[in-house]
Amino acid sequence: MSDNIVEIDNLSFGYKTRLLHKGINMQFPRGKVVAIMGGSGSGKTTLLRLIGGQLKPSGGEVRVAGQVVHKQDRKGLQKLRRKMGMLFQQGALFTDLSVYENVAFPIREHTDLPESMIRDLVMMKLNAVGLRGARDLKATELSGGMARRVALARAVALDPAIIMYDEPFAGLDPISMAVICNLIRKLNDALGATSIIVTHDVQEVFAFADYVYFVADGVVAAEGAPEDLRKSELPFVHQFVHGEVDGPVPFHYRAPDYRQDILRSANV
Amino acid sequence: MFSAVASVLSGIGHRVIDSLWRFGASIRFFFYVLIYSGESFRRLHLTIREIYFTGVLSLIIILVSAFFVGMVLALQGYNTLQRYGSSEAIGVLVALSLVRELGPVVTALLFAGRAGTAITAEIGLMRATEQLSAMEMMAVSPVARVVAPRFWAGVFSMPLLAALFSMVGVLGGYLVAVPLIGVDAGAFWSQMQASVDFREDIVNGVIKSVVFGVACTMIALFEGFDAPPTAEGVSRATTRTVVNSSLAVLGLDFVMTSFMIVA
Ligand SMILES: Nc1ncnc2c1ncn2[C@@H]1O[C@H](COP(=O)(O)OP(=O)(O)O)[C@@H](O)[C@H]1O
Ligand SMILES: [Mg+2]
């Protein structure tokens, strides 16, 4: 078995006809925190769905623990998903359940543990994210940062080998952001898991990721350890890391010539 | 001119193809739900919880409506029957109308408006907020965990609600006919007892309400599951639930009634 728990091999995918990913190669070594960065709409969430087997690639493959994800039957896919935990962009907590029941959900679904044991597990996970005291709140009564932490506790409830985070920092205040950063690293090391973080927040991720991939135009535009990328002279990476408005990634969405557009609207 | 006609035609064609496609998709979804039902039967508490939400919470509106429908039936029926001097048959008229037609049909229409819309909106929002995706990623099938329990709850609740509708309707009819109008109570009940046939009337009514239960619940679930993950998508899906359920109920009612009357 290779040292990479997830491998993406020449992967291509498109929702309709236009290809979103055009031959992506990535490796995710066991025990590491790896970040995937790219602009909004560059297909980062889609990439996580491909890893989770919710979408089928149009070319290439994703292997999780040596198994090709899209060739699994229902049972095989379920087995692979038991190894994964995913933190969705908006948390995706079950709104009809309490915080406690949300975290207990995967445990109840997949094990036959007695209630006392479930309780211990849930308390442990909630304690790890600092929300043991919030166990009786409804999912709808939480702030954004708290919801994200509960979702994190739920994602790791069954001690997954792979934890995927979709924009874990989006829309958080600086303190919650630091808390989440801390948690990701802590959980990764405590569980001996591999973390895949999708984000566009450069500073946070560069501070604690082991390896970073940049995705642009459907391919991996750059990759490397954060300290190497910081020094990188690649125009794309430079633009991203330093947050410049225009550069290889244009400010404007593809549009016809501005002058002509204006003239045309004046005519109608 | 020609292009305008062509675009209207192609618009109609698109809608027809789209409707057919959705119909096919909903049938496939139906079989999916049946396949996953085994899994959800093992956790009966989920279905029982949904029976509470779809069935028990629909009780008030259905009982109140039934009471009024029964009273109106008695008023209208008496008005017509007394011209032919057979006002004692009022009990038969009320009971047969309710058991054969109004019980199953009106219950289904109210069910679509009360429980069906709630199901569609809830599932549509669960999809929009990625709760269904999250479930899938936890290796839990949303069809088994979310859809199938609601389906069986609906199928189970509908005949019971329709039966209660008929019972309360008869009671409403009785209150108008006997204490208010002064029809003889003995005639009211005995004629009803003599004329309502178990096989022909009651069983047929139950068959109807089971079929309506399948149709209404299935439409509500499919529309919710299939709703685009936006506020607009969910609101349209909710509307479609009411429109499609109502059409399905009335259409199926005609088809079933014609078979039942001929047979
Ligand atoms: N279900 C879908 N159907 C069609 N297009 C989609 C769907 N989901 C996402 N897209 C499109 O794919 C592109 C990438 O989406 P996404 O993976 O969510 O990007 P990111 O997470 O990097 O912001 C976007 O342009 C989006 O409009
Ligand atoms: Mg995204």
Side-chain angles (χ1 to χ4, degrees), chain A residues 49 54 95-96 109-110, chain B residues 43 130 133 136 138 145:
Chain A
R49 287 188 189 281
Q54 293 189 312
T95 38
D96 54 339
E109 287 294 321
H110 290 303
Chain B
R43 285 169 305 179
E130 293 190 308
S133 276
E136 238 171 56
M138 287 184 240
R145 182 68 171 64

Side-chain angles (χ1 to χ4, degrees), chain A residues 179-191:
Chain A
V179 168
I180 296 267
C181 277
N182 228 324
L183 273 176
I184 294 178
R185 188 77 239 186
K186 223 172 67 186
L187 281 172
N188 189 78
D189 300 345
L191 296 174

Side-chain angles (χ1 to χ4, degrees), chain B residues 54-114:
Chain B
T54 51
V56 177
L57 294 186
S58 305
L59 265 179
I60 299 274
I61 181 174
I62 282 180
L63 296 187
V64 172
S65 310
F67 196 64
F68 283 115
V69 167
M71 291 197 294
V72 170
L73 268 179
L75 283 177
Q76 291 281 9
Y78 177 77
N79 192 15
T80 308
L81 286 176
Q82 53 117 13
R83 284 185 229 164
Y84 306 101
S86 48
S87 50
E88 313 77 52
I90 184 83
V92 182
L93 182 127
V94 169
L96 284 185
S97 317
L98 282 167
V99 173
R100 285 187 181 174
E101 286 298 333
L102 293 174
V105 171
V106 177
T107 303
L109 295 178
L110 292 172
F111 183 89
R114 169 65 183 75

Side-chain angles (χ1 to χ4, degrees), chain A residues 125-169:
Chain A
K125 299 298 172 186
L126 280 176
N127 198 45
V129 298
L131 289 178
R132 196 162 36 85
R135 61 177 175 266
D136 293 325
L137 295 182
K138 293 277 282 183
T140 42
E141 295 168 343
L142 301 174
S143 71
M146 283 161 85
R148 210 75 60 93
R149 276 146 73 186
V150 174
L152 185 48
R154 187 181 67 178
V156 298
L158 289 171
D159 296 345
I162 306 161
I163 316 175
M164 297 189 271
Y165 300 88
D166 193 357
E167 312 257 7
F169 314 114

Side-chain angles (χ1 to χ4, degrees), chain A residues 49 52 54 74 78 81 84 86 88-89 92-96 105-106 109-110 154 164, chain B residues 36 39 43 49 122 126 129-141 145 150:
Chain A
R49 287 188 189 281
Q54 293 189 312
R74 201 165 79 83
Q78 294 223 335
R81 283 180 179 159
M84 307 180 196
M86 177 147 169
F88 281 80
Q89 205 158 341
L93 291 178
F94 301 130
T95 38
D96 54 339
F105 182 90
E109 287 294 321
H110 290 303
R154 187 181 67 178
M164 297 189 271
Chain B
Y36 278 92
E39 259 177 70
R43 285 169 305 179
R49 188 182 123 101
E122 189 185 14
M126 287 180 88
T129 53
E130 293 190 308
Q131 295 180 42
L132 298 182
S133 276
M135 228 176 247
E136 238 171 56
M137 283 303 299
M138 287 184 240
V140 175
S141 155
R145 182 68 171 64
R150 284 170 174 75

Side-chain angles (χ1 to χ4, degrees), chain B residues 14-34:
Chain B
H14 271 300
R15 295 196 109 191
V16 170
I17 291 174
D18 192 52
S19 311
L20 280 178
W21 191 90
R22 284 180 62 82
F23 185 68
S26 65
I27 299 291
R28 196 181 58 173
F29 183 69
F30 177 54
F31 283 108
Y32 228 42
V33 173
L34 293 187

Side-chain angles (χ1 to χ4, degrees), chain B residues 171-256:
Chain B
L171 191 69
Y174 169 84
L175 287 182
V176 166
V178 178
L180 195 69
I181 298 177
V183 174
D184 179 55
F188 183 91
W189 292 119
S190 66
Q191 293 223 5
M192 187 189 298
Q193 197 182 6
S195 312
V196 178
D197 183 73
F198 179 73
R199 170 72 196 77
E200 293 266 292
D201 302 316
I202 299 199
V203 172
N204 278 352
V206 171
I207 291 175
K208 277 185 181 179
S209 62
V210 171
V211 172
F212 295 159
V214 172
C216 288
T217 319
M218 209 58 227
I219 288 171
L221 288 166
F222 176 72
E223 291 296 348
F225 209 74
D226 194 53
T230 59
E232 196 201 4
V234 175
S235 98
R236 276 169 186 243
T238 312
T239 307
R240 270 202 306 269
T241 292
V242 176
V243 173
N244 293 353
S245 303
S246 307
L247 291 178
V249 165
L250 297 173
L252 285 169
D253 184 47
F254 171 71
V255 172
M256 285 191 288

Side-chain angles (χ1 to χ4, degrees), chain A residues 74-142:
Chain A
R74 201 165 79 83
K75 282 258 145 39
L77 195 58
Q78 294 223 335
K79 237 170 104 191
L80 283 186
R81 283 180 179 159
R82 290 280 306 269
K83 295 192 210 299
M84 307 180 196
M86 177 147 169
L87 182 66
F88 281 80
Q89 205 158 341
Q90 307 302 334
L93 291 178
F94 301 130
T95 38
D96 54 339
L97 301 180
S98 66
V99 165
Y100 179 94
E101 283 302 323
N102 261 284
V103 180
F105 182 90
I107 309 176
R108 287 192 202 286
E109 287 294 321
H110 290 303
T111 67
D112 289 320
L113 295 177
E115 193 56 41
S116 64
M117 203 111 88
I118 293 181
R119 195 189 138 82
D120 290 350
L121 276 174
V122 172
M123 287 306 157
M124 216 163 75
K125 299 298 172 186
L126 280 176
N127 198 45
V129 298
L131 289 178
R132 196 162 36 85
R135 61 177 175 266
D136 293 325
L137 295 182
K138 293 277 282 183
T140 42
E141 295 168 343
L142 301 174

